[in-house]
Amino acid sequence: MLGRKIAKSVNKNSVFLAHELWQYSGNSYRRISQLPEHIVEDLSDGSGIPELIAELDHFSVRLDAEDDLCWENLKTLLGNLMNFEPRRSQDEASLDEEQNKYATQFYEHGGVEVLLRILMFNTVFPKVGRKVKVGFPESELLLRVKSLVLEILTKVTTTCIGDKVTAQLMASDDVLNYVFTLLAHQKTFINSCQLVEDMLQSRREVLDLHRINNLRGLISTLEDHQLANFCRILAVAISDLDIYENKSSLFQQNKQKRSRGFVNIRDINQELLLAIPDLLPRLVNLAVAKDYTPRYRGMVSELDCWMEWIENQMAEEMYDTPAMDDLEDFIGGISEPTSAGGPMNIQQGLKITEELVQRVEVVYVLGLFLLGKHRKKVQRKLAELKLAPGLSELFDQFIWKCQVRHSTRHRLRGHNAACECSPEVALKIQFLRLVHSFCDHSDYKHLLLSKNELNEVKRINLKAGSLALGSLENVNRQLMCKGSKGLLTKIVEVMKKEPTTSTFRFWLARAVESYLRGNTSYCDQVFLMRRGLLQHVASNIVEHEIRHKEILQSSFDLLGELIKFNIEAFKTFEEILTTQAKFEKFITTVNRNLVDSNMFIRSLVLSLEHLTEEDTTYREYAKKDNKLLMYIGDFSKQLDYLYKLIKIINVENLTQENVSCLNTTLVFLMFANRKGQLPKYLQALRDEKEDLMDVSGSANLLRNFRDLLTFWQDHYLHKDKDCSALEKSSRISFEYWKQTVSVLVCDDKDDKAGILHYVSPMPCDRPN
């Protein structure tokens, strides 16, 4: 009503009279549709954008969803923001430039404001007289129009003015809350989800989900495929990285956590979502659902299956080309034109891709729930929901590169024969990440075994001595994997067959390594050694030049867990390093990649001390018969590792990836402290490495080390830090970790066990 009154009060034919009226009454042109037509045409400059906005502006005030003109105008606008021609590298830039230019003109002429008015139409004064739990009562026709508006806004946010548009969308919580309600409608759920995701990713801070009206009610109304799509939003809301301004530096993250007013929104959002009773059960069912992706008998690769499906679909569509919009079955984001101005119909390619992406998002969100402070609670709940057997059955449907025994019919343009690209790559990676997070320091990791495999592990455990597990009798057999092989064995078998350069080797190794983490389990180590895993991983490093940093790191981490405290593992390793050349090749790889191999070095030191203390026979073997243990037991080698590990890190460059180097140096020095040899190590570091002074801005090596240990105290002694992992993995009480660090950083310069005793004063240092 307000818009119509203003329009009547402003002279639409004369700019002069309208200006005169503005001087007397304050009323003037407020929107482009109020301008005289010849002015709008002058603004156009042949682009047609102002005229299009003016026509849409009329509908933003009085929207009739049955009026085809509004629909056609929106289709025209969408078509100008899409590319329908096959993209070639030489013309991609020009196509993007055209879209950017069009979007910029549309924005500058107020087009986004017009679209927002259409989107929010009937929400200011919604219909009353009917109780609606979620959203507003809107007709199917109106929802189709709004879905198109959502898609256009999403397209605009991907252009060069995207930041401006998302800032405009986020200016009011009303828009965000309303778009959330559109997630509950079949016509709009995909496009509204995409727009919300773009809006949230544009924010510096994570959205507190408590700000969304009736979120619990909204989630309860979502159908399964809508909930799966909704996981794209949940992924942004509970991601652990988004809560920090600096995504890598531990020092900066610690500083932010200690600052006044810092609130961990991720944990708050997780708590809210986990309080919804049926959320996790529904997500698990979606993640492990049997219906999957195209599979054809005789097809040897995922890509072949997908190409067969595409060819079949194209053959169908060739003889079934619709001439009109399919408005009845319209689903925004899936019903798309195939040419500019063409009819909008469901595209089966988009539909099946959307289903696959939705499963990826569900699996990803389950993994995120396992990263927060509620990890233990979520691990228990997922175990009870039979996640392990469900994942094991889903794993059987994957096709791995090692299973493709001859050349496939298809190869993506520009990709070589070794390429593993397929639409299912992301799902495999998120699957393995979920397995990793589910097993990590988990009481339920043995659910990844089958029942007969558990019996084998129990028999091995009887011979484990001090490394025996006492929890195997508590494993609930009803929650375990079915069949003769559990998920763990299936992963190991695939890993052993995958090529050395396979993208998946990193995640396969990480999944198995997380199973071994925590309290060192002799029976689990031997179980995996019997399946040739130690032989495979060690031989892979000795016999190949592994260039991928991630694959090398995961291989060393897995090796470290396999051999830790295990005399049988060291004997097996000795059988692999049969010649001096092989031993030197292995050690050279370790020394050349210290950040990646430091966890393996730590396992060597821990094992040496454990084995030499436990048994006389083991002590003799470690000191005289095993190459690796003899090597790490040499004082000069230990000193060299200490120096190099301290040198490659400083407080400013510490990340989650390299902070382990600091803990490895501490393992060396905790055993030195136990033997009363700290002065010997510190003196040697000062005397033998004195010529190398400047370490990443620090005065010298030991000063840098003291700064690192001061950071260690701040990082690990904070009340919200769980340090049980350090204790379990090392079999050294955390109290002794703290005690050793306190000794090293003490302020008494006369204490020879403290670093300060060996630090030469800086030239600028003055006595008090």
Side-chain angles (χ1 to χ4, degrees), residues 152-170:
I152 292 167
L153 287 171
T154 301
K155 299 289 186 190
V156 173
T157 59
T158 63
T159 65
C160 61
I161 58 162
D163 290 342
K164 295 179 181 178
V165 175
T166 50
Q168 190 170 344
L169 294 173
M170 295 297 295

Side-chain angles (χ1 to χ4, degrees), residues 335-371:
S335 298
E336 296 285 344
T338 56
S339 60
M344 300 192 74
N345 293 277
I346 289 181
Q347 304 295 325
Q348 293 301 323
L350 292 176
K351 186 173 184 293
I352 195 170
T353 302
E354 184 68 28
E355 291 169 357
L356 181 59
V357 169
Q358 287 173 3
R359 190 189 287 252
V360 173
E361 294 293 345
V362 171
V363 174
Y364 178 52
V365 164
L366 284 174
L368 289 177
F369 276 125
L370 288 163
L371 297 179

Side-chain angles (χ1 to χ4, degrees), residues 434-654:
L434 176 58
V435 174
H436 170 273
S437 300
F438 177 72
C439 292
D440 194 17
H441 295 91
S442 172
D443 298 327
Y444 305 95
K445 65 182 184 181
H446 288 102
L447 298 180
L448 265 63
L449 305 175
S450 65
K451 294 173 185 177
N452 63 309
E453 288 174 338
L454 178 63
N455 290 335
E456 179 185 349
V457 168
K458 284 183 176 180
R459 289 193 296 271
I460 300 170
N461 195 49
L462 295 175
K463 305 174 184 177
S466 63
L467 295 174
L469 295 180
S471 58
L472 293 178
E473 295 302 325
N474 301 327
V475 178
N476 187 337
R477 292 177 176 267
Q478 301 305 312
L479 306 178
M480 298 182 69
C481 296
K482 299 175 183 178
S484 60
K485 295 178 181 178
L487 179 57
L488 179 66
T489 298
K490 293 174 183 178
I491 291 174
V492 170
E493 288 180 348
V494 168
M495 181 182 171
K496 287 170 60 181
K497 296 174 183 176
E498 281 290 283
T500 305
T501 57
S502 170
T503 306
F504 301 110
R505 285 193 66 88
F506 170 77
W507 290 109
L508 291 162
R510 292 281 286 166
V512 180
E513 183 235 334
S514 71
Y515 176 86
L516 290 169
R517 275 189 195 172
N519 289 322
T520 300
S521 169
Y522 174 88
C523 56
D524 289 316
Q525 290 171 324
V526 173
F527 175 82
L528 290 169
M529 285 164 56
R530 286 180 177 180
R531 280 145 184 83
L533 186 60
L534 175 59
Q535 178 85 25
H536 168 73
V537 178
S539 298
N540 201 43
I541 294 174
V542 172
E543 296 171 6
H544 300 92
E545 287 291 339
I546 302 176
R547 300 188 181 279
H548 295 284
K549 171 182 170 61
E550 293 78 9
I551 295 176
L552 197 59
Q553 179 186 335
S554 61
S555 299
F556 275 122
D557 288 352
L558 177 54
L559 272 182
E561 292 298 336
L562 280 169
I563 67 169
K564 193 188 298 177
F565 307 135
N566 192 319
I567 191 70
E568 300 302 324
F570 278 96
K571 290 178 179 178
T572 300
F573 222 128
E574 194 71 13
E575 295 171 3
I576 299 166
L577 306 178
T578 52
T579 65
Q580 188 62 25
K582 288 183 177 181
F583 177 77
E584 290 178 359
K585 166 72 186 303
F586 183 81
I587 292 299
T588 299
T589 306
V590 169
N591 294 341
R592 196 169 53 225
N593 305 275
L594 273 185
V595 172
D596 303 323
S597 65
N598 87 89
M599 294 295 288
F600 176 76
I601 294 169
R602 189 191 306 181
S603 287
L604 291 182
V605 179
L606 288 167
S607 300
L608 174 67
E609 297 298 332
H610 171 78
L611 293 173
T612 53
E613 288 177 4
E614 186 165 284
D615 186 279
T616 306
T617 306
Y618 291 170
R619 187 183 306 120
E620 290 299 312
Y621 176 77
K623 290 186 175 182
K624 296 181 179 179
D625 297 326
N626 187 275
K627 296 186 186 72
L628 282 174
L629 293 174
M630 290 164 59
Y631 175 83
I632 202 65
D634 184 273
F635 175 74
S636 64
K637 297 292 189 302
Q638 292 189 7
L639 192 66
D640 198 45
Y641 280 127
L642 268 174
Y643 168 71
K644 289 177 179 177
L645 287 169
I646 296 170
K647 186 177 183 296
I648 58 181
I649 53 176
N650 60 61
V651 172
E652 294 295 335
N653 72 10
L654 273 181

Side-chain angles (χ1 to χ4, degrees), residues 294-436:
R295 289 290 183 265
Y296 297 94
R297 185 174 298 176
M299 297 292 173
V300 296
S301 77
E302 292 168 352
L303 191 55
D304 279 353
C305 291
W306 279 93
M307 295 302 292
E308 181 73 14
W309 183 89
I310 291 171
E311 288 175 2
N312 293 341
Q313 198 61 41
M314 289 176 66
E316 285 290 319
E317 293 175 355
M318 187 180 299
Y319 300 102
D320 185 23
T321 305
M324 298 179 62
D325 294 327
D326 182 4
L327 300 180
E328 188 65 31
D329 295 326
F330 175 89
I331 300 176
I334 290 178
S335 298
E336 296 285 344
T338 56
S339 60
M344 300 192 74
N345 293 277
I346 289 181
Q347 304 295 325
Q348 293 301 323
L350 292 176
K351 186 173 184 293
I352 195 170
T353 302
E354 184 68 28
E355 291 169 357
L356 181 59
V357 169
Q358 287 173 3
R359 190 189 287 252
V360 173
E361 294 293 345
V362 171
V363 174
Y364 178 52
V365 164
L366 284 174
L368 289 177
F369 276 125
L370 288 163
L371 297 179
K373 71 176 185 180
H374 305 288
R375 181 185 66 180
K376 291 292 184 183
K377 173 184 173 183
V378 177
Q379 284 175 335
R380 175 179 57 79
K381 185 67 175 175
L382 294 181
E384 293 169 352
L385 291 169
K386 298 186 177 181
L387 177 69
L391 291 179
S392 183
E393 292 178 15
L394 179 60
F395 191 86
D396 292 336
Q397 300 185 52
F398 293 149
I399 300 175
W400 300 91
K401 191 171 182 65
C402 62
Q403 295 163 338
V404 181
R405 302 189 183 283
H406 49 81
S407 60
T408 58
R409 297 181 305 142
H410 302 98
R411 186 186 303 172
L412 296 177
R413 179 178 296 174
H415 295 234
N416 60 35
C419 183
E420 299 165 316
C421 288
S422 90
E424 299 169 44
V425 169
L427 179 58
K428 288 179 180 176
I429 290 175
Q430 295 306 330
F431 176 98
L432 293 169
R433 286 186 67 173
L434 176 58
V435 174
H436 170 273

